[in-house]
Amino acid sequence: MPCYVRLMGKEDIAQVTEIDRETFPTQWPPANYQRELENRLAHYIVACDAGKMVEAPRVKVASGRGLPGLVSRVRQLFNYEHSFGEELPPSSQEYIIGFAGFWVMADEAHLINIAVRESYRHQGIGGLLLISVIDLATELNTSIITLEVRASNTAARSLYGKYGFTQVGLRRGYYVSDREDGVLMSSENITSASFQARFQQLKQAHTRKWGTALHQIAR
Ligand SMILES: CC(C)(COP(=O)(O)OP(=O)(O)OC[C@H]1O[C@@H](n2cnc3c(N)ncnc32)[C@H](O)[C@@H]1OP(=O)(O)O)[C@@H](O)C(=O)NCCC(=O)NCCS
C-alpha cells in the first residue's frame, strides 16, 4: 500500500482527531489538535494512503463578499452571512492513516502521541512514523527523545524498543482514567555515531521489508 508522511496542517485536524478518539477513547482531557498546531513547541506529522482520497468536511463561506460596502456591513450586522452562508461543493482530501507528534523543549523532543488506524496496522506505518519523528527531531537539533507509554501497551513498547528506546523510569498511576503505570522511555543521544549507525540500519531494513512505496516526509 503506497503511503507517504508529511507535516500536519489545519486541514488534517478532523481526521487526526477522529483517529485520536478511536485510539484513545478514555483519554482525559481529550487532545485538542487545533491548539497543538498553534503551539510553537509542537511538531506533528501525518501518514497518508497515497491511493485513497476522502471528501473534505463542508465549509461555509461568507456570501457577502464582493457586495457594496454598506450592504455587506448590514448583512454582517444582522449576522446574515452566518445564517445564509453558501456551502462550497465538497472537495477531496488525502486519507490520513496515522499521525505522530512531539514537543521540543530545549534539546529534548518529547513524543506526545503516535497512532495508526486499526485497519492499517502491521504494515510498517508505525515504524515509518517513528523513523520520521527521529529524523525530524534530529533536524531540529534535539539530542534525546523521551516518551511515556502504558505499561500494558506491548505493541508500542516493542516498537520503541526496536528503535533503540529503553526504560528509564516508571510513573506509578500515571494514567488518570485507570491509574495504570506509565513507563518512561528514552533514546540515547540521537546525534551520536552509535545511535545514527543503528538507526540507518533500521531505516534500510524498513525499506527492504516494506519497499520504497512507503516514503518519508514530503516537503
Ligand atoms: C503502536 C502502533 C503505532 C504500531 O503501529 P503499526 O503500524 O502496527 O507498526 P508497524 O507495523 O510499523 O510495526 C513496527 C513494530 O512495532 C511492534 N509492534 C507493532 N504491533 C505489535 C503488536 N501487536 N505486538 C507486538 N509488537 C508490535 C513490532 O516491534 C514491530 O516490528 P516488527 O514488524 O519487526 O515486529 C499501533 O499499534 C497503534 O496505533 N497503537 C495504538 C496507539 C498507541 O498505543 N500508541 C502509542 C502511544 S504511547
Side-chain angles (χ1 to χ4, degrees):
M1 185 264 316
C3 151
Y4 57 88
V5 171
R6 62 165 173 76
L7 296 175
M8 179 180 167
K10 276 187 181 167
E11 67 283 7
D12 305 321
I13 291 173
Q15 290 193 69
V16 166
T17 302
E18 180 186 74
I19 298 171
D20 180 271
R21 300 294 187 270
E22 277 171 17
T23 313
F24 308 103
T26 60
Q27 183 176 302
W28 190 261
N32 179 333
Y33 290 99
Q34 173 80 44
R35 208 178 310 141
E36 282 294 275
L37 283 188
E38 288 161 7
N39 178 352
R40 54 187 187 84
L41 302 178
H43 301 267
Y44 277 82
I45 54 175
V46 290
C48 306
D49 179 340
K52 183 170 175 178
M53 299 295 275
V54 286
E55 199 175 284
R58 285 164 188 268
V59 183
K60 292 229 176 202
V61 289
S63 54
R65 239 175 248 149
L67 290 171
L70 183 61
V71 178
S72 177
R73 260 178 279 136
V74 169
R75 280 186 162 193
Q76 278 169 13
L77 197 60
F78 291 99
N79 209 11
Y80 180 92
E81 292 181 351
H82 181 72
S83 334
F84 296 93
E86 290 164 4
E87 222 166 56
L88 281 178
S91 61
S92 59
Q93 199 178 46
E94 296 150 291
Y95 186 58
I96 296 171
I97 55 182
F99 72 97
F102 60 95
W103 283 24
V104 171
M105 287 161 289
D107 70 338
E108 177 180 336
H110 188 77
L111 189 70
I112 302 292
N113 220 339
I114 183 166
V116 175
R117 284 191 197 270
E118 207 160 344
S119 57
Y120 282 83
R121 290 184 192 161
H122 313 297
Q123 299 176 59
I125 313 298
L128 180 71
L129 283 165
L130 191 56
I131 288 171
S132 306
V133 163
I134 296 169
D135 273 337
L136 193 53
T138 310
E139 256 182 57
L140 293 166
N141 296 318
T142 63
S143 51
I144 57 163
I145 305 177
T146 58
L147 61 94
E148 279 102 15
V149 56
R150 282 180 178 271
S152 65
N153 193 342
T154 46
R157 288 180 69 174
S158 163
L159 170 68
Y160 301 139
K162 181 174 173 179
Y163 285 88
F165 290 72
T166 52
Q167 179 171 346
V168 292
L170 187 71
R171 295 193 164 141
R172 297 224 175 265
Y174 179 75
Y175 293 94
V176 281
S177 58
D178 56 4
R179 313 305 303 162
E180 185 174 349
D181 294 344
V183 175
L184 181 60
M185 298 184 87
S186 177
S187 67
E188 61 174 287
N189 187 331
I190 58 174
T191 63
S192 70
S194 58
F195 182 90
Q196 281 298 326
R198 180 158 184 252
F199 179 53
Q200 296 310 324
Q201 279 177 4
L202 285 162
K203 272 169 85 168
Q204 285 163 13
H206 188 277
T207 306
R208 272 197 305 277
K209 183 168 178 184
W210 299 108
T212 48
L214 301 185
H215 290 290
Q216 275 187 275
I217 297 181
R219 291 177 199 273

